[in-house]
Amino acid sequence: MRPSWDEYYMEMAEVAKKRSTCLRRQVGAVIVKNQRILASGYNGAPSSILHCEEAGCLREKLQVPSGERHELCRGLHAEQNTIIQAALHGVGIKDSTIYVTHMPCIICTKMMINAGIKQLIYKGDYPDSLSQEMLKEAGIIVKKYSKDESS
């Protein structure tokens, strides 16, 4: 059976997350426009920097709860890496859709708003109510992915 577009792109985000080097949560993201994949990414340390699986997790060491103190991390989030990859390669993502395996944090949400992303489809939850408030205020269409409801 042929997958729906939402199912197809979310599966791609799930594949991207397999490259994650985060010890706490693996996340993948794919940016799509007009049924074309523009960029993909996963969470992990910047290029040429030791990954957490090698250097250890600073957040675990400091016992930082999930959803707090994002600056205390070696890694970039999947959404950040995906937006950066598009920018690095000169790919415009205005009016695009981002598929993410987890609801974005507030930092990623602000980047998505300023990058002109118009729709977010996410799978797993994340403890960040401010993110949800700002997505709504910015007019970004937000859908929680459900295989049964995918288009």
Side-chain angles (χ1 to χ4, degrees), residues 33-69:
K33 186 174 180 181
N34 300 325
Q35 256 89 43
R36 300 291 177 260
I37 296 171
L38 303 178
S40 65
Y42 51 89
N43 56 331
S47 299
S48 75
I49 302 295
L50 286 177
H51 290 282
C52 299
E53 58 191 7
E54 301 161 316
C57 179
L58 180 60
R59 294 174 63 79
E60 282 294 321
K61 183 178 176 184
L62 298 174
Q63 299 180 338
V64 177
S66 184
E68 297 179 16
R69 304 290 314 267

Side-chain angles (χ1 to χ4, degrees), residues 17-150:
K17 98 176 187 180
K18 291 179 181 182
R19 294 275 310 151
S20 171
T21 57
C22 180
L23 301 174
R24 293 179 82 172
R25 181 188 316 257
Q26 290 72 46
V27 180
V30 175
I31 296 176
V32 176
K33 186 174 180 181
N34 300 325
Q35 256 89 43
R36 300 291 177 260
I37 296 171
L38 303 178
S40 65
Y42 51 89
N43 56 331
S47 299
S48 75
I49 302 295
L50 286 177
H51 290 282
C52 299
E53 58 191 7
E54 301 161 316
C57 179
L58 180 60
R59 294 174 63 79
E60 282 294 321
K61 183 178 176 184
L62 298 174
Q63 299 180 338
V64 177
S66 184
E68 297 179 16
R69 304 290 314 267
H70 300 288
E71 75 280 7
L72 296 175
C73 181
R74 296 181 65 80
L76 292 160
H77 290 184
E79 304 92 324
Q80 295 168 336
N81 268 329
T82 306
I83 292 168
I84 291 166
Q85 285 304 308
L88 184 66
H89 297 288
V91 176
I93 58 173
K94 186 174 189 239
D95 298 325
S96 63
T97 297
I98 189 167
Y99 289 81
V100 189
T101 59
H102 291 80
M103 172 60 111
C105 73
I106 187 59
I107 295 169
C108 292
T109 293
K110 291 186 280 187
M111 289 180 69
M112 289 166 37
I113 291 167
N114 276 3
I117 292 172
K118 293 299 178 197
Q119 181 171 250
L120 160 68
I121 299 175
Y122 73 98
K123 195 171 184 180
D125 293 320
Y126 187 76
D128 197 328
S129 58
L130 182 57
S131 171
Q132 294 173 26
E133 290 173 31
M134 288 187 79
L135 287 162
K136 185 176 181 180
E137 185 178 341
I140 293 178
I141 298 163
V142 177
K143 284 185 2 184
K144 184 164 185 179
Y145 173 79
S146 169
K147 190 173 181 178
D148 298 333
E149 298 174 15
S150 59

